Amino acid sequence: MRIVLNGDTMELRDDSSLADLVEQLGLGDKRIAAEVNMEIVPRSQHAALRLNDGDQIEIVHAIGGG
Amino acid sequence: MSEQLRHDPLIIAGKEYSSRLLVGTGKYRDLDETRRAIEASGAQIVTVAVRRTNIGQNRDEPNLLDAVSPEKYTILPNTAGCYTAEDAVRTCKLARELMDGHDLVKLEVLGDQKTLYPNIVETLKGAEMLVKDGFKVMVYTNDDPIVAKQLEEMGCVAVMPLGSLIGSGLGILNPHNIRLIMEAANVPILVDAGVGTASDAALAMEMGCAGVLMNTAIAGARDPLLMASAMRKAIEAGREAYLAGRMPRKKYASASSPMEGII
């Protein structure tokens, strides 16, 4: 399936969960927050959330700012 | 030293802080300089921005929150770069998830890129939405006393008028308005933005501000660590001078040495 991650299109194995994606990106142990189709997905639900073709996903982290 | 000075915490959303200096984490050379500057500033509340994670780049890149640990500091996520209330609220929700439910945020909704002046209409809208959603909102605003009061009445836990434009270092351009805001306020008033050097920070504190939030004044100094230390002292000195109560200004001299016994 094809998803849009942080504005870029990406191919992903069918039946992937959000946790699979996060793990695949090497962000499993990082402090991140994820949004699927504009809805926040709490960390505790990453494993249960199945992604679908066309999903818009945002993964954010904290950076320096004032 | 009076009892008042020994225990004079800044209280924000029910939590006590001994430091009245709040600092940002932007514009430093690297994370190590960020960490050391914040340590030198003595700040306990530290702002961060929320941005898209770079995908596929530097997996082992150190994270800001490793350098500035949420166990040690109160992390204050901001909504910098947001130009609408909706974007700001979305950013705050992501920040709350990022910070494991910690709901203290700095709301800033900007008007244009040249001035980074706050868009007050959107700021008021964003504040209302966030307060309703249970956030504890520290809000960046202009130095309009009416707007500041409205933001307080909406339930913001702190109101943070600008001294001058973000990153300008021009100091507190309208101390009279800041004073009007403080006189009317029942929540902490902090000067946010515009501080250029230690005397600007001291002036804000001497006027009675609850605290000062700054970033570029430290990060943009030739020696950020030394400036961080200077700011820490300026904030403390200004606060003590405020509590001590300055002498009245007089038009003419008043001798410090006694007139009696002059040879």
Side-chain angles (χ1 to χ4, degrees):
Chain A
M1 65 175 154
R2 188 171 277 195
I3 58 161
V4 179
L5 172 63
N6 289 1
D8 291 325
T9 309
M10 182 183 169
E11 282 295 337
L12 196 63
R13 191 171 46 79
D14 286 355
D15 287 332
S16 293
S17 69
L18 180 57
D20 294 335
L21 172 64
V22 168
E23 199 57 45
Q24 188 182 322
L25 296 168
L27 299 171
D29 56 347
K30 305 280 190 202
R31 275 183 188 273
I32 52 126
E35 205 184 50
V36 177
N37 301 327
M38 303 283 286
E39 290 288 327
I40 304 275
V41 184
R43 207 157 310 165
S44 59
Q45 293 169 28
H46 283 195
L49 188 109
R50 296 282 140 201
L51 296 174
N52 295 304
D53 193 56
D55 276 352
Q56 306 263 344
I57 298 154
E58 293 286 343
I59 297 181
V60 301
H61 66 162
I63 64 156
Chain B
M1 197 183 279
S2 68
E3 183 64 30
Q4 195 180 18
L5 273 177
R6 258 175 285 153
H7 187 69
D8 172 41
L10 167 65
I11 301 173
I12 293 181
K15 192 169 169 194
E16 289 193 5
Y17 300 92
S18 55
S19 171
R20 291 175 176 272
L21 173 57
L22 289 70
V23 297
T25 52
K27 299 183 180 172
Y28 287 100
R29 207 169 40 201
D30 52 36
L31 285 182
D32 190 53
E33 189 184 65
T34 312
R35 181 183 59 76
R36 290 190 296 151
I38 289 167
E39 228 165 71
S41 76
Q44 295 167 304
I45 301 177
V46 175
T47 65
V48 303
V50 177
R51 291 290 181 272
R52 282 174 165 169
T53 303
N54 289 328
I55 303 300
Q57 291 175 15
N58 308 325
R59 283 189 179 190
D60 298 322
E61 192 182 12
N63 188 301
L64 174 66
L65 296 181
D66 295 332
V68 184
S69 158
E71 280 77 51
K72 189 169 171 191
Y73 298 100
T74 293
I75 304 295
L76 180 63
N78 69 25
T79 62
C82 292
Y83 286 81
T84 65
E86 286 75 17
D87 280 351
V89 170
R90 184 182 176 199
T91 301
C92 288
K93 287 181 178 173
L94 281 164
R96 183 163 59 184
E97 164 64 13
L98 191 61
M99 301 308 302
D100 301 318
H102 170 75
D103 52 14
L104 187 70
V105 291
K106 171 182 162 181
L107 172 65
E108 59 178 294
V109 189
L110 304 176
D112 79 37
Q113 292 186 0
K114 186 175 177 184
T115 64
L116 301 178
Y117 206 76
N119 178 330
I120 295 304
V121 175
E122 292 295 312
T123 299
L124 288 164
K125 211 163 95 182
E128 192 174 19
M129 290 160 80
L130 288 170
V131 169
K132 205 174 280 177
D133 204 337
F135 283 97
K136 299 184 177 81
V137 181
M138 299 178 72
V139 58
Y140 170 65
T141 182
N142 64 9
D143 56 15
D144 179 331
I146 308 303
V147 170
K149 194 65 191 171
Q150 284 177 334
L151 288 164
E152 173 188 322
E153 285 166 359
M154 281 177 166
C156 293
V157 298
V159 176
M160 308 198 290
L162 49 72
S164 49
L165 300 182
I166 292 174
S168 71
L170 290 175
I172 300 173
L173 295 186
N174 196 342
H176 306 287
N177 271 28
I178 302 283
R179 193 165 282 130
L180 288 175
I181 291 172
M182 285 188 304
E183 276 174 14
N186 298 307
V187 293
I189 302 299
L190 295 88
V191 164
D192 180 2
V195 166
T197 188
S199 53
D200 297 331
L203 174 65
M205 297 310 295
E206 285 175 18
M207 284 167 50
C209 286
V212 177
L213 199 167
M214 64 179 77
N215 190 154
T216 314
I218 297 175
R222 193 175 62 237
D223 184 338
L225 267 60
L226 193 54
M227 187 57 89
S229 161
M231 288 300 185
R232 173 186 204 150
K233 291 169 188 160
I235 294 286
E236 284 173 8
R239 180 64 183 179
E240 290 187 6
Y242 167 71
L243 292 175
R246 62 154 297 145
M247 61 161 281
R249 289 183 171 84
K250 293 171 191 164
K251 272 182 146 176
Y252 300 102
S254 145
S256 301
S257 308
M259 297 304 288
E260 274 166 44
I262 288 176
I263 52 168

